[in-house]
Amino acid sequence: DAGCNPDTYTGKVGSFLSASEHTNWLAHSATSASDAVNPFFLSQLRNKDFISSLISYSLNLKGPSYHTATACSSSLVSTHIACRSLLLRECSVALAGGVSLVTDTNTGYLYEEGMIVAKDGHCRTFDEQSSGCIKGNGGAVVVLKRMEDAIRDKDHVYAVIRGTATNNDGKEKAGYTAPSVDGQANCIKLAQKFGNVPHDSISYIEAHGTATRLGDPIEISALNQAFENDTNHTCAIGSLKSNLGHLDVAAGVAGLMKASLALKLSLIHISEPTRLLS
């Protein structure tokens, strides 16, 4: 509902997207392609790394065009880069998001203790019965603008991104795929610093929440550390994975959309109680 027509919009629109590997599409495009399709162009269509530039080509978007690949954080890192590009005025509008599609049917998985998938097919984030997550299916894209431009253009604003931050754990964790308490806490504190948001002003956290026995406790420990272990402050937590499963590269931006909708709807409830109750 951004209402921006790329054919008539005079500013630059950036594209910052992520995509998961799709073996069915790779196989289908390799075996079903018409002879009329140039093999070189087909190789571009099959390659997920070209998602942003292909869409920019199709929609005539002339801002920066990035494909981001940082595993589960990909679409949020895309959002981070998009915000930086807007602040640097490389573009006036930015698309940020990701897609992860599951087209295999009648498939299951082998549960292994200590791995990421759940033993019962349910993602029970922050629950004592949690044993992992399940694969999700979907995609999400947000349209970003500098706040003053969105207000000037009378855009449909869901939320304001006050600050973003990224970092890496290096080797300060149990293993390559393991999370780190200090790394997560430092990144959260850096985002709070950039956004000038004190921890005691935060009332909700949309978490990664993979429902794994390793990941969830570490994430909560990192949040407590970032919140200076302030026992006088309470903050709600949640994760979209308990509703949709793990959307892989699209997980982060889907969580951003959930948190944005929560903000918007909470403001509606506060400002328009009569209309909502009628």
Side-chain angles (χ1 to χ4, degrees):
D1 60 2
C4 179
N5 185 344
D7 293 327
T8 58
Y9 185 69
T10 56
K12 289 185 177 180
V13 180
S15 177
F16 305 83
L17 303 172
S18 310
S20 297
E21 197 70 72
H22 197 293
T23 53
N24 272 8
W25 165 243
L26 292 174
H28 175 76
S29 59
T31 58
S32 306
S34 167
D35 292 337
V37 181
N38 180 279
F40 177 74
F41 185 56
L42 180 62
S43 69
Q44 317 300 306
L45 291 174
R46 297 178 66 214
N47 192 335
K48 64 180 178 61
D49 295 351
F50 291 102
I51 180 173
S52 286
S53 55
L54 282 168
I55 289 175
S56 294
Y57 173 74
S58 178
L59 298 181
N60 195 30
L61 311 181
K62 297 178 180 177
S65 193
Y66 284 72
H67 166 255
T68 307
T70 59
C72 312
S73 64
S74 293
S75 57
L76 274 187
V77 173
S78 290
T79 304
H80 169 78
I81 298 171
C83 290
R84 293 293 190 269
S85 186
L86 285 166
L87 293 173
L88 290 171
R89 299 189 177 270
E90 295 176 328
C91 58
S92 299
V93 177
L95 307 178
V99 60
S100 180
L101 298 178
V102 181
T103 55
D104 297 328
T105 57
N106 301 319
T107 60
Y109 56 81
L110 177 65
Y111 169 74
E112 296 180 71
E113 185 70 30
M115 298 303 289
I116 193 170
V117 293
K119 64 182 178 182
D120 58 358
H122 294 280
C123 185
R124 307 178 190 277
T125 303
F126 304 128
D127 191 293
E128 64 180 358
Q129 298 180 45
S130 63
S131 59
C133 61
I134 59 171
K135 177 69 176 175
N137 190 29
V141 177
V142 293
V143 180
L144 306 174
K145 264 188 179 181
R146 291 180 291 271
M147 186 172 70
E148 62 268 24
D149 293 349
I151 293 172
R152 178 200 65 204
D153 297 338
K154 297 181 172 61
D155 286 327
H156 192 167
V157 178
Y158 286 87
V160 176
I161 297 177
R162 295 278 297 272
T164 66
T166 61
N167 70 352
N168 193 276
D169 294 324
K171 293 183 70 174
E172 295 179 359
K173 52 186 178 180
Y176 174 61
T177 59
S180 159
V181 172
D182 289 342
Q184 289 186 31
N186 290 336
C187 193
I188 294 166
K189 288 190 285 189
L190 189 59
Q192 291 175 352
K193 182 178 179 180
F194 278 139
N196 193 25
V197 178
H199 75 269
D200 56 6
S201 70
I202 298 172
S203 58
Y204 176 72
I205 293 286
E206 174 63 17
H208 188 51
T210 55
T212 58
R213 294 296 179 90
L214 177 67
D216 281 12
I218 287 178
E219 187 169 10
I220 293 301
S221 295
L223 284 166
N224 281 329
Q225 184 173 313
F227 278 56
E228 299 178 4
N229 294 304
D230 185 356
T231 57
N232 294 318
H233 176 65
T234 58
C235 179
I237 55 172
S239 172
L240 191 61
K241 290 178 182 65
S242 58
N243 300 95
L244 299 181
H246 197 333
L247 296 182
D248 194 42
V249 300
V253 76
L256 172 63
M257 293 175 76
K258 173 194 165 184
S260 299
L261 284 169
L263 281 171
K264 181 178 175 63
L265 293 174
S266 66
L267 289 173
I268 290 174
H269 279 280
I270 292 169
S271 62
E272 301 180 15
T274 306
R275 184 179 66 82
L276 285 169
L277 290 172
S278 63

